[in-house]
Amino acid sequence: MGFSNKVKVIALAAGLSMAGVSQAQSPKPVNIGVMTDMSGLYSQIGGRGSVVAAQMAVDDFGGEIFGRPIKVLSADHLNKPDVAAARAREWVDRDGVVMMTDVLGSATGLAVQNLLAEKDFVIMNTGTATSAITNKNCSPYSTHWSYDTQAIAAASATATLAEQGDSWYFITADYAFGHMLQADSTKVLLKGGGKVVGTVKHPLNSGDFSSYILQAQASGAKVIVLANTGGDATNALRQAKEFGVIDAGQKVVPLLIFDSDIKALGLDAVQGVKYTTGFYWDFDDRTREWSKRFFAKHNAQASMVQAATYSATLNYLKAAKAVGSFDRDKVMAKLRETPVDDMFARNATLRDDGLLVHDMYMAQVKRPSESKSEWDIAKVIKVISGKDAFAPISESECPYLKNKS
């Protein structure tokens, strides 16, 4: 081998060696996991939008922490609890995820919540509605950051009872979320002197609501109450209109509906409907400024789940930075002692049971003539303080609180 060739070989070997050293010295990323519905009936509520929101939070934080880059991982749980739990286990045991968020859907949310409680792992839950998250299924390392069924019932059910009628027939999603939403709403109804005429349960992701609507119509109830959400709520509302239920005088009221649902149905179909939300993009300057950036990345306005995912992710990172580590006890203590006031959560504090108590909003769908743009679909008509929206901690069934005391 000639001298020049030897030099080339030595140089190549040295380059490979240096590359190996550089690679070995590259800091390991800090992984945050967004567990959500990417392809099913809740994908517009969370899905890719939640991943975008989490990445925005990481970018706004600076993209790194403790000298390590922050990476957002995502997974589609397919609305199957076993799939969600299996992926969560992989993230914890294999992939070094430090925090999970979104976890859309109550059945999947509870499966992940119970698994992570066993592992003493931090979960910033923004997509699960059931209030069991901060009650019998609570964990000292979990938070419920966006809304729960009790908050929805406190506002939506109260307004429905006062304005629509006192005899209700429930069409309820047959899983944890639907059961809890019906139970919480029924408490409001009975306390106000109303009555439940009947109820029928439907499976998740139902396409045909005709038999359920006919049963509700035949009941004679003044109000047909939908204790479901997402694609199920939009399908039920659309078919109720097609069957002439609304024109015949019965009220059809969705307890939980999202902006994407309203947009899918069209203002003609749901104009005037009042609904409870934890976020509306056009509420004030802070929501509009953040929503403009979100829209530029996602081409849609954020749901309260997506907005909450941004808030939860950013506040988690700020807490970790403040305590100088990912130590779960220190991070959770910092989150609980730090008031939250951002584009999502106003006048907010994190309770010991993991519930973020914050202002909620009663919104009303606009008439088509009122709408000035594609996403100008509603107006906030009432701000509901957190103490009025959420159940007091004295009513919490969280075992952790009892053990703590």
Side-chain angles (χ1 to χ4, degrees):
M1 180 183 296
F3 177 77
S4 62
N5 287 336
K6 288 182 180 180
V7 170
K8 290 178 182 178
V9 170
I10 293 170
L12 177 61
L16 290 173
S17 177
M18 290 301 295
V21 171
S22 175
Q23 186 175 19
Q25 292 177 343
S26 296
K28 188 176 180 181
V30 172
N31 292 327
I32 290 175
V34 178
M35 181 81 66
T36 190
D37 175 8
M38 289 286 196
S39 55
L41 77 167
Y42 299 145
S43 57
Q44 298 303 309
I45 299 169
R48 179 179 171 274
S50 283
V51 180
V52 168
Q55 187 62 56
M56 283 178 64
V58 168
D59 293 342
D60 288 350
F61 182 75
E64 63 176 37
I65 186 169
F66 310 138
R68 298 165 59 188
I70 306 168
K71 184 177 181 181
V72 176
L73 306 182
S74 62
D76 184 355
H77 57 43
L78 306 175
N79 287 307
K80 296 180 179 179
D82 57 336
V83 172
R87 179 51 61 91
R89 189 183 299 277
E90 288 178 356
W91 274 354
V92 175
D93 295 343
R94 184 191 68 191
D95 298 328
V97 168
V98 297
M99 182 272 282
M100 289 183 212
T101 188
D102 189 333
V103 204
L104 192 62
S106 290
T108 48
L110 286 172
V112 173
Q113 171 89 356
N114 293 338
L115 170 69
L116 298 187
E118 294 175 2
K119 293 179 173 291
D120 292 337
F121 189 88
V122 176
I123 175 173
M124 307 286 282
N125 202 310
T126 60
T128 301
T130 176
S131 53
I133 291 292
T134 53
N135 283 277
K136 63 181 181 180
N137 294 94
C138 75
S139 160
Y141 306 110
S142 71
T143 73
H144 210 173
W145 205 264
S146 52
Y147 71 104
D148 66 12
T149 49
Q150 200 282 330
I152 298 300
S156 293
T158 299
T160 300
L161 176 61
E163 301 172 15
Q164 307 291 349
D166 59 0
S167 62
W168 295 5
Y169 189 99
F170 281 97
I171 297 179
T172 301
D174 192 13
Y175 71 110
F177 157 71
H179 300 166
M180 189 63 72
L181 183 56
Q182 179 177 331
D184 287 339
S185 300
T186 298
K187 291 177 185 176
V188 173
L189 176 65
L190 298 180
K191 186 177 180 180
K195 62 180 179 179
V196 177
V197 174
T199 183
V200 63
K201 293 181 172 62
H202 69 82
L204 183 68
N205 205 12
S206 293
D208 184 3
F209 279 83
S210 58
S211 64
Y212 312 128
I213 291 168
L214 290 173
Q215 289 178 61
Q217 189 175 27
S219 72
K222 294 177 183 176
V223 188
I224 300 172
V225 178
L226 305 179
N228 54 17
T229 193
D232 285 333
T234 56
N235 284 337
L237 281 164
R238 186 179 291 113
Q239 291 172 41
K241 186 174 178 63
E242 291 171 355
F243 274 82
V245 172
I246 298 172
D247 293 338
Q250 275 181 306
K251 305 291 185 181
V252 181
V253 177
L255 290 174
L256 180 59
I257 192 168
F258 290 84
D259 294 350
S260 54
D261 303 327
I262 295 168
K263 190 170 181 296
L265 287 163
L267 300 187
D268 275 329
V270 286
Q271 58 184 305
V273 167
K274 295 179 180 178
Y275 65 103
T276 307
T277 183
F279 179 83
Y280 184 61
W281 72 271
D282 198 24
F283 176 64
D284 64 11
D285 289 343
R286 278 195 285 177
T287 60
R288 284 188 286 269
E289 186 278 330
W290 181 85
S291 296
K292 183 178 180 180
R293 294 195 296 125
F294 180 86
F295 189 90
K297 296 177 181 294
H298 189 54
N299 199 33
Q301 295 295 357
S303 71
M304 66 172 157
V305 170
Q306 293 160 347
T309 298
Y310 171 91
S311 173
T313 302
L314 186 56
N315 279 281
Y316 171 81
L317 291 171
K318 287 180 177 179
K321 181 179 179 180
V323 301
S325 75
F326 295 115
D327 181 283
R328 55 185 178 267
D329 291 299
K330 293 179 180 178
V331 170
M332 292 303 298
K334 176 56 68 173
L335 284 168
R336 289 191 173 98
E337 73 181 34
T338 307
V340 179
D341 190 77
D342 57 20
M343 37 60 70
F344 170 75
R346 308 294 170 86
N347 305 306
T349 55
L350 184 64
R351 295 192 324 203
D352 284 348
D353 60 355
L355 181 64
L356 184 74
V357 178
H358 59 88
D359 291 348
M360 296 286 288
Y361 309 100
M362 177 65 72
Q364 185 173 31
V365 179
K366 289 185 174 182
R367 297 189 299 270
S369 60
E370 294 178 289
S371 177
K372 296 179 176 63
S373 62
E374 180 185 13
W375 284 91
D376 183 23
I377 59 177
K379 53 189 174 185
V380 173
I381 58 175
K382 183 181 180 181
V383 177
I384 307 162
S385 69
K387 66 180 181 61
D388 293 327
F390 295 93
I393 196 167
S394 59
E395 295 180 8
S396 177
E397 299 175 356
C398 175
Y400 162 68
L401 293 181
K402 296 176 182 178
N403 294 337
K404 187 177 180 180
S405 59

